[in-house]
Each structure stands twice: as structure tokens, then as C-alpha cells.
Amino acid sequence: MGDLPIEASGLVRRFGDFVAVDRVDLAVRSGEVFGFLGPNGAGKSTTVRMLTTLLTPTEGTARVAGYDVVREASKVRRAIGVALQDAAIDPLMTGNELLRLQAALQGIPRSAAARRGAELLERVGLTAAGDKRVGAYSGGMRRRLDLALALLHEPRVLFLDEPTTGLDPSSRLNLWEEVRYLNSELGTTVLLTTQYLEEADQLAERIAIIDGGRIVREGRSGDLKAEVGSPTLRIELADGDGVAAQAEAALAPFGEARPCEAGFVAVGLSGGAARMAEVVRALDEVGVTVAGMELHNPTLDDVFADATGRRLEGAAEDTGPDEAGPGTMGSDGSDGRGSGAGAGPGGDGAGPGAGVGGSAAAVSAGRRRGRR
Amino acid sequence: MAAVAADATGVAGADARAQRATRGLRSAMAQVGALSGRSVRNIWRQPQVWIPSIAFPLMFAALNTAALGRVPGQIADQSGGTFHPFGPRDVYLDFLFVATLTQGVLFGGLSGGSELAQDIESGFFDRLVTTPVRRASILVGRLAGSAVLGGVQALVFMAVFLAFGARVQGGLAGAVVLPLAAMLLALTIGGLACAMAIRTGSVEAVQGVFPLIFITLFISSAFFPTALMTGWYRTVATHNPLSTMINGMRHQVLVGFDLAEAAKAVLVPGGLATLAIVLCLVSLRARLAQR
Ligand SMILES: Nc1ncnc2c1ncn2[C@@H]1O[C@H](COP(=O)(O)OP(=O)(O)OP(=O)(O)O)[C@@H](O)[C@H]1O
Ligand SMILES: [Mg+2]
């Protein structure tokens, strides 16, 4: 227990009567990238601020790098690197000046600081901008500088609070690369908060989903998804709806039918992708020609929806068009859940219009409502 | 043998401790140095901060001399003698010099507090606080900018006033007292503004103090000799610590160098600065504790 880089038990933070963080337990292992996923106002930043000694917990305890965040705050500060969500970088200073200041604050000798600062600027692609004032940096450049600042003293534990919010896709990818590098090459333990499903999926070995101040799910992304249900196999029928009945009959042994639009059939494929070939053969045997096939795995959004009954904000943009298909559409409401093993991403029978293209508009409106 | 060995480790322990202390001191100095560098540089990079704090008091001085330049330098007092409110040379400019200096420093000193409030508002302060930096270093670093600006203001004002014919009777010694007092006064105002910034975290709140400081300046001996005032105004002005400081500084200009007067000029703002900084530290501790 004692050597976990980040551990929290029963962490509570109230602001007046409002409970921002509610009995959060965390155990982040050494060398792990841990994702803290949640919508706006979930309590991510508040948790990070407690772990980085900026806020005192109302209740509970937390240890970072082996030190208590309240009683041994200064030791914690020495061990951690922090890129806060809304801590502006002084726009009047240049990148190099900020690195020098950070070095002095971290007690790094000047010569070592200069070398390391140059190295980090190079790595985050800011060498040319090092002598420019931060006021002239783009959002992405600031984020990268922020990362360089957090890394200057080679922290054992790194906190990144929404490091890619507001970044364009390519800057986001760069930052991901950097986090992966830090983690795999330097063994830095990273706690990263995000509202982006894909980011949590791509970067984090384990994920905690937080909503309303509480951790509602925790585990490996794959396991969390598997808990939600089997993937949906969506098959386009070459001969249209006329053969849908035959197709569904042939598919019955593979799993329960899932709603989808006309000209398609869908099935919750127990056993996963490995059985796709079998499906094709089975359909072939009954004379159904397959025009196309897509396997939709449950997404973290489905996990989130399963846990909270709501969709995560921005999920539609974030996960890409193929996952906004009928497989996920039916499940915007919470009531379609809970029908046991089959409650996959298709959510079964979420309202009268479930499963047909015509309900898409209504469903997405519902989704939007669910976001706030 | 055992005793010797124990002794040796004792010595080694003390050595290590001394080394740690030296290292700690050196890193604290480096922190203060870096933070002070930042605050001085940032003021320099914001001409909208330092230009008004030099230009406005000079403009005010120009208006004042134009308006009051012909006020008689000699006034008959009740006992039949003559009173020289503007000093033996009877030059209003000589008298005005210290007033302008004080006004400028009060004006500029607020910038330190505004900058800290700015840091708190923008979250840069949080960035600093997540590092192992000493809390006091953050304050000292922030105030250094104010102090340096105060010193620079004093030198600029002195140059301008001398160019326009003012004279410092106290010579070099007297002239040294002025920037010194100015820096301490800047620290006082900067410290008060910082305490305010720490308590409120709002730039507006800090800048809202501005009129209050100006009233304090106007009810002092800055622009008129207290001897010419009447009633409660005179009472307040006489007891205003700013008047004590101003009179001490003014003595160097109008009369000549005088150690007792110099002490007043320096010790009053020195004492106030100490109080202000203590207030600041207490506020900071409170702010960090109640988070
Ligand atoms: N200092 C504060 N005083 C009062 N309420 C606060 C304070 N800080 C945070 N809160 C509230 O606590 C809740 C959690 O906020 P927090 O910033 O931790 O959310 P978050 O998960 O980081 O959200 P986001 O994705 O928008 O950054 C919010 O409802 C917020 O309004
Ligand atoms: Mg946040």
C-alpha cells in the first residue's frame, strides 16, 4: 500500500453546502497513466487541486509520492509536476524566462536548468518560440510550454488537468505522444483528467469515471466496456429488408438482436470479433448476401451512460461518426438499461421509436438535453 | 574508540546540517532573485504601469507650480517675524519636490499589489504555489518590483526637478535619503496592496484603494505646510505619519542634511513597511490555510 504514487481514501471537498468531491478513493500504481474522466463540474479539478496541495480536503486523506498532502505538503510539491487546467501562464514572460523561473522555484542549479530547459523546449517543439512572450503563443503552444514547465524537475508523479481541452486534433495527438513517451521511457506516473472519451481510451491504462463528485466506475477501459455488454455487429443486407427475417433467424444463435435501421440487421455478438467469420458463413448458408459489416464495440460513453444514465458531453463529436450510428442511439435515456446481459450499446427498447432511422432527430435532441 | 567514532558522526551530522542550511539559503535567494527579476521586468514591460506613475505626478507638479508659483514665500506670523513656508530660498518648486515624489511613489506602489491580485485572478499564483517555493519569497519577489520602481521614480523626479531649478540643500547625503525613503514607502504601499490582493484576490479591489491613499496624501504636509492649515484638517495632517516622513525628507531638500530628520524620513516608512509585510504574510497564511 505504502508505495503507491497516488492514493486517496474517502476524499471529500465541500464548498459551503455544496459537495464538489464525494468520498473519492484512488489507488494509482507506479508507472501508470491513470485517466480521470468526467463531464464539466464533475469534480476532476477539485480532486487534482487537493492532490497537488492547492486545496485542503474537507474529509479523507491522500498521499502523493508517499507523502500526506496536508501534513507533508512541501514534500509533495517537490515530487510532483503539475499542469493545472486554469492556471494562466504570465503572458508578459517568454518561454525561456518561465523555464528559468520554474527552475529557480524548484531549486535546480542554473547550468542544469539551462540544459534541461533547452532539451524540453526542443521536445515540445518550442525552441524557436523560446524567446517570444507567452502572450503571443497559441493555445496549443501554451499547453506544450505548460507541460515543459511541469517536467523541468523530472517529477515522479505528473498531474495533467485537461491537458488537451481546446487543442486542435494534431496538437492533441502530439501531446498524447509526449505523455506516452514520458510514461514509457521515463516511467513517470501520470494522472490525467479529461472530458474526452477517446483521450482516456487512448492514453490511460486505467480509468476512473467521475460524475457529480463521485467515482461511478473504475478499471481498465476494456474491462469497463466489457461490463456494459457485448459489441454490436451491424450487417448491411445486399438484398434489403426482404431477407431481414431470414437473416435474424440465422443470427439468433450469436446473440440477441439489436435495433437498427431498415436494410440492416444487428446482433449483440457474444464472443466478440472472433466470431464474425462464423456469422458470414451462417448467413451464407441461408442465402443472405452481406453487403457490409461493422462491429461496434461498446464505448466509454456507453459505460458512462450505463453508470449515470446520461451521455458524456461532447461524446458525439469526440468518438467519431461511426459510433454515432444506431448502436448508440437508443441509449440516451436511462430507462433502456438494466435488461441484463444484453444491455449493450444498442440499449434495448429505449422508447417507441427505438431502432429506426426516423428517431435519430428525437434521440439526438434528447441527448443534448442530457448533457447539461 | 567508540567515543571518537560518535564524535566524528556528530561532526559529520553538523556539517551536513550546515550544508543543507547553506543550500536552503542559496535556493531561497535564487527564488527571491528570480521572482524579483520577474516583477521588475514585468513592470518595465507594461509602460502603462510605469509611465503614468512618473508622468502624472510631474504633470500635477507642473500645474501646481503654474497655479501657485506666485504664492509669497514669506508670510508674516503673529509674533512679528517672517515664516518661510517653502524654505529659506522661498522657492515653491523646492517645496513641491518631496510632494511629487511621495505622490508618485504612492501611485506606483499600488502596482505591486495589483500585479499580485492579477496573478491570483489568472491562476499564476497557483502555479507558483504548487512548487516548493517559500511563501515569503513570493511576496518579497512581488514587492521588489514596487521598491525598484519607487527608487527609480525618486531618481527621475530628482533629475527633472533639479533641471527645472530646484535645489537639494542637504547635498549628496540628503539626496540619498530621498530614494531610500521612496523605496520604503513603495514597500509600504506595495505591502498594503498585496495584503489587500491576497484577501480579495481582485485587481479591482486593490485599485479601489487608490482614492483612499490620495486622500491620505492630501491631508498631510505634502502640498501645503501644516502651519498654514486650520481646524481638524490641520490636526489630522499634523498626526498623519506621511507628514512626519515628508517633513523629514523635505528637511534634506530645504534646509540641509540632518540625521534626526533623515531618521524620520526613513524609519517611518521602514516601520510601516514592516507592518505591511507582516500583514501580508499573515493574510497569505490565512488564505492558504482556508483553501
Ligand atoms: N472554489 C470553489 N467554490 C465553490 N464551488 C466550487 C469551487 N471550485 C469548484 N467548485 C464547484 O465544484 C464542482 C466541481 O468543480 P471542478 O472544477 O472540480 O469540476 P471539473 O470536473 O474540473 O469540471 P471541468 O471539466 O469543467 O473543469 C463544480 O460544480 C464547481 O462549480
Ligand atoms: Mg476542471
Side-chain angles (χ1 to χ4, degrees), chain A:
Chain A
M1 235 355 225
D3 49 7
L4 286 174
I6 305 173
E7 52 179 328
S9 84
L11 218 49
V12 173
R13 175 66 202 207
R14 283 189 214 101
F15 295 107
D17 284 337
F18 179 74
V19 185
V21 172
D22 193 4
R23 283 164 287 159
V24 160
D25 299 319
L26 282 176
V28 178
R29 296 173 204 141
S30 187
E32 178 172 56
V33 177
F34 189 88
F36 215 48
L37 176 69
N40 283 133
K44 303 182 296 292
S45 296
T46 307
T47 307
V48 166
R49 292 172 80 84
M50 286 191 281
L51 294 174
T52 55
T53 78
L54 282 172
L55 270 179
T56 322
T58 314
E59 282 169 32
T61 58
R63 297 177 78 76
V64 170
Y67 304 111
D68 187 282
V69 295
V70 178
R71 278 179 288 108
E72 299 166 298
S74 62
K75 288 184 175 150
V76 171
R77 290 185 202 114
R78 237 175 279 276
I80 59 174
V82 186
L84 293 167
Q85 182 183 5
D86 26 43
I89 310 183
D90 186 345
L92 294 171
M93 297 174 76
T94 69
N96 280 322
E97 284 167 354
L98 277 154
L99 282 164
R100 275 198 293 274
L101 176 63
Q102 186 77 8
L105 300 182
Q106 292 289 358
I108 304 172
R110 204 171 293 189
S111 57
R115 187 162 19 83
R116 190 145 168 75
E119 200 181 289
L120 279 168
L121 276 190
E122 172 90 51
R123 266 231 318 273
V124 299
L126 288 176
T127 305
D131 285 323
K132 286 210 188 82
R133 290 193 196 171
V134 171
Y137 281 22
S138 71
M141 290 164 82
R142 284 181 207 208
R143 276 324 217 172
R144 282 182 277 149
L145 177 63
D146 207 357
L147 187 65
L149 290 169
L151 293 175
L152 194 63
H153 59 295
E154 306 185 311
R156 280 179 279 158
V157 186
L158 182 64
F159 291 89
L160 302 175
D161 195 2
E162 299 198 20
T164 65
T165 299
L167 294 194
D168 64 40
S170 80
S171 311
R172 184 177 298 174
L173 287 179
N174 284 340
L175 210 127
W176 287 1
E177 275 311 303
E178 194 53 37
V179 171
R180 287 200 189 100
Y181 168 84
L182 284 169
N183 179 251
S184 60
E185 301 299 311
L186 308 178
T188 313
T189 303
V190 182
L191 186 146
L192 159 131
T193 81
T194 182
Q195 313 183 19
Y196 299 120
L197 303 161
E198 194 192 352
E199 184 158 291
D201 234 351
Q202 289 282 325
L203 280 182
E205 285 150 58
R206 285 192 308 137
I207 296 169
I209 297 180
I210 182 167
D211 184 47
R214 290 199 186 186
I215 293 187
V216 292
R217 287 283 191 285
E218 189 188 331
R220 296 179 162 278
S221 165
D223 296 346
L224 291 176
K225 291 175 193 162
E227 276 170 31
V228 175
S230 51
T232 301
L233 180 63
R234 190 161 152 272
I235 298 160
E236 190 180 349
L237 303 170
D239 303 317
D241 249 1
V243 295
Q246 279 149 272
E248 272 169 13
L251 289 175
F254 294 94
E256 90 288 3
R258 298 250 165 100
C260 65
E261 65 267 57
F264 292 81
V265 287
V267 61
L269 191 63
S270 48
R275 299 189 68 192
M276 281 170 79
E278 271 180 70
V279 169
V280 178
R281 274 197 298 276
L283 287 173
D284 199 37
E285 272 165 27
V286 297
V288 173
T289 316
V290 173
M293 251 166 99
E294 275 171 19
L295 187 68
H296 294 271
N297 282 308
T299 62
L300 279 177
D301 199 27
D302 299 316
V303 177
F304 184 80
D306 187 51
T308 65
R310 286 178 293 113
R311 289 275 155 193
L312 196 54
E313 179 166 36
E317 301 94 82
D318 193 57
T319 50
D322 59 339
E323 284 169 335
T328 50
M329 272 201 211
S331 54
D332 73 301
S334 52
D335 44 356
R337 297 272 139 216
S339 60
D348 26 3
V356 278
S359 70
V363 167
S364 63
R367 227 189 233 205
R368 211 157 291 133
R369 237 180 298 118
R371 280 181 196 174
R372 283 281 148 193

Side-chain angles (χ1 to χ4, degrees), chain B residues 134-156:
Chain B
R134 270 164 223 273
R135 302 311 174 241
S137 305
I138 299 179
L139 286 185
V140 176
R142 200 71 270 195
L143 292 175
S146 300
V148 169
L149 179 61
V152 169
Q153 282 175 304
L155 296 178
V156 172

